[in-house]
C-alpha cells in the first residue's frame, strides 16, 4: 500500500493551462480508497475549471508549494448548479445520522443529560422546528430559523460542560448526530488563485444581487487543519474610485459602483468540531452594493472564511493582503465587505490575526479574540462569553457592534483586556433597540468587565444606543434587558455610560464601577 500518491501519477500536467480537475479527482478517489496521503509537486500549477461535482477529500493533502487555479470566469452568475459546487470537500468518515426523537421529548437550558444513548461521543444538532429565532430586521428581513443549537455529548448522553444547552425546548422535533473524527487530517502548503467571473460579460444589464458562489474548500469533517495557504482573488473590480459614467464625478454607491458576484467563502467550515485554519494569507472580498425596489442601498455580504454549526473552530496567524495604492487596506469598509462570517458556532477563537473584521451573524456562543489587529469591526450576535484580549481596533464608530439587523442581542458576559481603540471609535458597544421581537430576549450583555482599554477619542462612552428608548424597559413586545454590572479598570479616561444624556437615564439601576483613569 502506497503511503503517498501524487497528482502527476494520475495524469495531471500542472502547466496552469490544461484542466487537471479529472486527474486530481482520480488521485483523491484512490487516496480515499487506500488511505494514502496526496501530494502536489513543487512548481506545478493545477488549473481547475468548471466542475460537475465536488472533489471528495478523506485523507491528508500536502501540495508541497504547488499552485491551484480555481477558474470561475466561465461560470455565469445565474448558473444555479456550477457556481455552488465546491472544488474540494473534506468529508467525515461517517455521514451525519438522524436520531429517533421520543414522542414528547423536551430539553431545558443547562440540562446535563439529554436522556439518550449513543454508540460513541458525538456532536448533536438539537432542533425545535415549531419556534423561530433570529428573525432579521431591515432590508434583508426574514422569518428566522428554527430554534436549534449544537452540543457535544458522550455515549451516555451527558452534555459536555463546554457546550451547555442554551435554550428551553418545549418540544424537540429533530436531532442529528455528527461523528467527531479522531484521526487528524491536514490540507495545505500551497497557493490558490481564484479567478472571479465577470457578470457583465454575459449580461450587460446585470446589477448586483445575491448570486452567491461556493467555489473553494469546504470542510465537513472534524479534527482538520488547513494551513500555509496563500490565497489571491483576481478579476474582481477593486478600482471602485472610477468615473464609470464619464460625468467627472465619483459616485461610490451610484453609477460608479463595481459589479460582481459575492462568495459564501473560499474556506468554509460546516458542522464539525476542532478545526484549525492557520498561517494563511487571505484575500478581502469586494463590497458589492445595489439598490432595493424602495431605493434603500444594500450590500452583498461576500466572505473569505465562513462557518456554520462548528464547535471549537480556531483562526490562527491569518493575515489579510493589503495594497494601499489601490485602497486595499483592512480599514476600507467601502471596498471590502469582510473576510470572516459565522453562523451558529460555539467556542470560536481568533488568535494573532490581521483582518478587516470578526463577524458572527447568528448565535455565536463563546468567542475569544486575542493578540490581533482588526480593521473596521467586531460584529457579534449571540451569548455565552465574548472575551477580547490584546486587540487593536483601527476604524469604525464602535469597538463592538451588536448587529441591529438581529436585534443587537448578546445574552452573556463581555470581557475586554488590554486593548486599544482608534481615534474614530467613540463607544465600547453600539446597540439598537426597537419594538420588534426576533425570538430571543433583547439582552445587550449581562456583565461587562473592562480591564485595560486605551482610547484616543475623549468623547468615548460605554454604550452608543440607537432608537427611541422611552418605554424600552417595559415594552410589551420586546423589553430591553440591561447589563447587571459594568466594571471599568485601567482606562486612560473615565467614559460616560451612554453617548446621549436621555439614554443615560435608562441605566439608573445598573451597577456601574469605574476606577480613576490611569495616568
Amino acid at each position: 500500500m502506497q503511503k503517498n500518491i501524487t497528482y502527476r501519477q494520475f495524469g495531471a500536467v500542472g502547466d496552469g493551462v490544461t484542466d487537471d480537475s479529472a486527474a486530481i479527482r482520480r488521485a483523491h478517489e484512490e487516496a480515499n480508497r487506500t488511505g494514502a496521503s496526496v501530494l502536489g509537486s513543487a512548481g506545478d500549477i493545477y488549473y481547475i475549471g468548471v466542475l460537475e461535482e465536488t472533489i471528495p477529500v478523506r485523507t491528508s493533502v500536502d501540495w508541497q508549494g504547488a499552485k491551484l487555479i480555481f477558474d470561475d470566469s466561465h461560470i455565469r452568475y445565474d448558473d444555479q448548479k456550477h457556481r455552488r459546487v465546491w472544488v474540494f470537500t473534506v468529508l467525515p468518515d461517517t455521514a451525519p445520522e438522524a436520531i429517533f426523537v421520543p414522542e414528547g421529548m423536551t430539553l431545558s437550558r443547562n440540562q446535563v443529560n439529554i436522556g439518550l444513548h449513543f454508540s460513541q461521543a458525538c456532536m448533536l444538532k438539537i432542533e425545535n422546528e415549531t419556534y423561530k429565532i433570529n428573525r432579521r430586521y431591515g432590508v434583508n428581513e426574514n422569518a428566522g430559523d428554527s430554534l436549534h443549537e449544537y452540543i457535544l455529548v458522550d455515549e451516555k448522553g451527558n452534555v459536555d460542560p463546554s457546550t451547555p444547552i442554551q435554550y428551553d425546548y418545549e418540544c424537540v422535533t429533530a436531532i442529528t448526530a455528527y461523528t467527531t473524527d479522531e484521526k487528524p487530517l491536514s490540507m495545505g502548503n500551497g497557493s490558490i488563485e481564484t479567478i472571479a467571473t465577470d457578470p457583465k460579460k454575459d449580461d450587460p444589464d446585470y446589477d448586483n444581487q445575491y448570486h452567491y458562489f461556493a467555489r473553494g474548500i469546504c470542510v465537513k469533517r472534524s479534527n482538520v487543519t488547513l494551513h500555509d495557504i496563500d490565497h489571491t482573488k483576481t478579476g474582481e473590480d477593486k478600482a471602485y474610485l472610477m468615473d464609470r459614467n464619464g460625468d467627472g464625478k465619483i459616485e461610490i454607491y451610484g453609477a460608479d459602483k463595481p459589479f460582481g458576484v459575492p462568495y459564501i467563502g473560499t474556506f468554509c467550515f460546516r458542522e464539525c468540531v476542532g478545526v484549525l485554519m492557520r498561517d494563511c494569507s487571505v484575500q478581502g472580498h469586494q463590497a458589492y452594493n445595489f439598490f432595493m425596489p424602495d431605493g434603500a442601498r444594500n450590500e452583498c455580504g461576500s466572505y473569505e472564511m465562513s462557518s456554520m454549526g462548528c464547535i471549537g473552530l480556531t483562526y490562527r496567524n491569518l493575515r489579510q493582503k493589503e495594497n494601499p495604492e489601490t485602497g486595499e487596506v483592512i480599514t476600507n469598509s467601502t471596498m471590502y465587505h469582510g473576510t470572516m462570517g459565522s453562523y451558529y458556532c460555539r467556542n470560536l477563537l481568533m488568535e494573532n490575526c490581521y483582518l478587516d473584521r470578526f463577524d458572527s451573524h447568528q448565535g455565536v456562543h463563546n468567542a475569544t479574540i486575542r493578540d490581533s489587529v482588526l480593521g473596521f469591526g467586531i460584529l457579534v450576535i449571540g451569548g455565552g462569553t465574548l472575551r477580547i484580549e490584546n486587540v487593536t481596533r483601527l476604524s469604525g464608530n464602535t469597538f463592538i457592534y451588536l448587529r441591529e439587523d438581529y436585534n443587537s442581542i448578546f445574552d452573556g458576559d463581555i470581557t475586554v483586556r488590554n486593548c486599544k481603540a482608534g481615534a474614530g471609535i467613540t463607544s465600547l458597544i453600539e446597540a439598537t433597540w426597537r419594538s420588534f421581537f426576533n425570538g430571543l430576549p433583547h439582552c445587550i450583555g449581562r456583565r461587562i468587565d473592562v480591564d485595560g482599554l486605551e482610547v484616543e477619542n475623549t468623547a468615548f462612552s460605554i454604550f452608543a444606543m440607537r432608537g427611541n428608548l422611552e418605554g424600552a424597559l417595559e415594552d410589551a413586545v420586546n423589553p430591553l434587558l440591561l447589563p447587571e454590572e459594568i466594571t471599568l479598570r485601567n482606562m486612560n479616561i473615565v467614559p460616560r455610560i451612554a453617548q446621549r444624556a436621555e439614554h443615560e437615564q435608562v441605566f439608573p439601576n445598573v451597577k456601574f464601577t469605574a476606577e480613576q483613569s490611569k495616568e
Side-chain angles (χ1 to χ4, degrees):
M1 299 289 287
Q2 287 182 286
K3 293 184 178 180
N4 300 311
I5 60 176
T6 69
Y7 290 145
R8 282 184 170 268
Q9 284 179 264
F10 290 82
V13 178
D15 61 2
V17 178
T18 305
D19 193 331
D20 285 324
S21 57
I24 290 172
R25 181 185 305 279
R26 288 193 294 269
H28 281 286
E29 288 175 344
E30 178 66 9
N32 297 342
R33 186 183 69 83
T34 63
S37 296
V38 177
L39 303 179
S41 299
D44 278 5
I45 303 175
Y46 305 114
Y47 176 93
I48 298 175
V50 181
L51 297 178
E52 295 297 320
E53 58 183 356
T54 188
I55 298 171
V57 177
R58 297 182 187 272
T59 64
S60 289
V61 183
D62 183 351
W63 288 315
Q64 299 197 119
K67 179 179 180 178
L68 296 93
I69 296 176
F70 299 168
D71 188 356
D72 302 347
S73 65
H74 301 294
I75 304 175
R76 276 184 59 99
Y77 70 91
D78 55 357
D79 184 330
Q80 294 294 331
K81 177 182 178 181
H82 298 103
R83 66 185 171 92
R84 301 183 74 91
V85 177
W86 297 105
V87 176
F88 295 103
T89 302
V90 183
L91 295 167
D93 296 336
T94 305
E97 177 187 2
I99 302 299
F100 172 75
V101 179
E103 184 176 355
M105 181 178 182
T106 63
L107 288 173
S108 301
R109 180 183 175 105
N110 293 324
Q111 184 172 324
V112 297
N113 186 288
I114 68 168
L116 300 175
H117 286 71
F118 305 91
S119 59
Q120 63 184 68
C122 56
M123 179 175 77
L124 300 181
K125 179 183 181 182
I126 308 291
E127 189 169 5
N128 177 1
E129 298 170 343
T130 68
Y131 187 85
K132 300 297 182 181
I133 60 172
N134 286 324
R135 299 180 180 94
R136 199 171 187 180
Y137 185 91
V139 292
N140 294 312
E141 66 178 303
N142 60 44
D145 299 319
S146 298
L147 176 68
H148 72 279
E149 63 186 290
Y150 296 84
I151 63 173
L152 298 175
V153 296
D154 65 13
E155 297 92 333
K156 297 181 179 180
N158 295 311
V159 180
D160 191 296
S162 71
T163 59
I165 296 175
Q166 302 174 73
Y167 308 119
D168 292 322
Y169 291 80
E170 294 184 358
C171 65
V172 176
T173 59
I175 299 177
T176 307
Y178 302 81
T179 57
T180 54
D181 310 88
E182 294 184 3
K183 183 180 179 181
L185 184 153
S186 64
M187 186 176 196
N189 192 21
S191 62
I192 296 172
E193 178 187 352
T194 297
I195 303 176
T197 193
D198 177 7
K200 285 286 190 181
K201 170 175 60 70
D202 299 313
D203 181 2
D205 296 325
Y206 171 85
D207 197 2
N208 294 323
Q209 290 292 335
Y210 291 112
H211 300 291
Y212 274 103
F213 273 53
R215 286 261 304 177
I217 300 173
C218 184
V219 175
K220 295 185 176 181
R221 180 193 189 276
S222 297
N223 205 4
V224 172
T225 298
L226 297 185
H227 68 96
D228 299 286
I229 300 172
D230 180 8
H231 180 237
T232 57
K233 194 160 183 277
T234 59
E236 278 197 337
D237 186 352
K238 286 189 163 55
Y240 71 96
L241 291 178
M242 292 176 60
D243 181 13
R244 287 182 177 275
N245 59 359
D247 64 358
K249 301 177 181 179
I250 301 296
E251 304 170 42
I252 296 175
Y253 301 129
D256 300 319
K257 67 183 178 181
F259 296 93
V261 296
Y263 277 73
I264 292 174
T266 303
F267 307 98
C268 291
F269 307 93
R270 296 289 185 265
E271 296 173 321
C272 50
V273 180
V275 174
L276 168 65
M277 181 176 176
R278 64 166 177 84
D279 301 304
C280 296
S281 297
V282 296
Q283 180 73 63
H285 285 232
Q286 175 69 54
Y288 293 121
N289 299 282
F290 65 96
F291 291 89
M292 304 291 285
D294 62 359
R297 183 182 70 84
N298 204 352
E299 184 174 282
C300 301
S302 188
Y303 301 95
E304 177 81 329
M305 298 96 67
S306 70
S307 56
M308 182 182 72
C310 299
I311 297 176
L313 168 61
T314 297
Y315 295 115
R316 179 176 295 141
N317 301 335
L318 305 186
R319 186 173 182 87
Q320 185 171 333
K321 298 175 187 294
E322 290 191 293
N323 185 344
E325 292 184 2
T326 61
E328 298 176 61
V329 293
I330 64 171
T331 55
N332 193 333
S333 59
T334 304
M335 173 175 283
Y336 288 142
H337 177 82
T339 48
M340 174 264 187
S342 76
Y343 312 79
Y344 298 109
C345 291
R346 303 186 74 152
N347 305 338
L348 277 177
L349 172 60
M350 178 179 284
E351 184 174 53
N352 195 29
C353 291
Y354 184 87
L355 302 170
D356 54 26
R357 70 178 182 178
F358 175 99
D359 190 353
S360 70
H361 280 51
Q362 297 148 298
V364 68
H365 187 264
N366 296 347
T368 298
I369 311 169
R370 64 183 177 221
D371 303 328
S372 296
V373 176
L374 297 175
F376 54 81
I378 295 175
L379 296 82
V380 177
I381 290 296
T385 299
L386 173 62
R387 190 172 183 89
I388 306 172
E389 302 176 349
N390 192 29
V391 170
T392 298
R393 281 273 294 101
L394 298 176
S395 63
N397 298 322
T398 186
F399 195 82
I400 302 167
Y401 174 49
L402 301 183
R403 293 181 57 133
E404 65 173 315
D405 47 349
Y406 293 105
N407 259 26
S408 297
I409 293 171
F410 193 81
D411 190 0
D413 298 341
I414 298 174
T415 300
V416 176
R417 294 286 184 270
N418 302 319
C419 293
K420 296 181 180 180
I425 299 174
T426 59
S427 63
L428 177 68
I429 298 170
E430 181 177 320
T432 298
W433 178 85
R434 59 175 65 89
S435 188
F436 167 80
F437 184 60
N438 86 338
L440 296 171
H442 195 157
C443 179
I444 56 173
R446 295 291 181 179
R447 283 170 293 276
I448 298 168
D449 184 5
V450 178
D451 189 351
L453 176 60
E454 182 178 333
V455 302
E456 296 185 38
N457 197 307
T458 56
F460 193 85
S461 64
I462 300 304
F463 277 100
M465 296 297 300
R466 304 287 179 254
N468 181 4
L469 301 190
E470 184 178 354
L473 304 183
E474 299 83 23
D475 186 74
V477 175
N478 184 44
L480 176 63
L481 302 177
L482 298 177
E484 301 164 11
E485 184 176 355
I486 300 175
T487 303
L488 310 179
R489 295 181 299 277
N490 295 314
M491 291 186 63
N492 59 323
I493 66 168
V494 177
R496 298 171 57 178
I497 194 168
Q499 283 187 340
R500 294 163 54 180
E502 63 269 29
H503 289 168
E504 279 195 325
Q505 299 171 10
V506 179
F507 291 83
N509 297 321
V510 175
K511 183 180 179 182
F512 181 52
T513 304
E515 291 184 359
Q516 181 65 33
S517 55
K518 64 181 180 180
E519 296 181 0

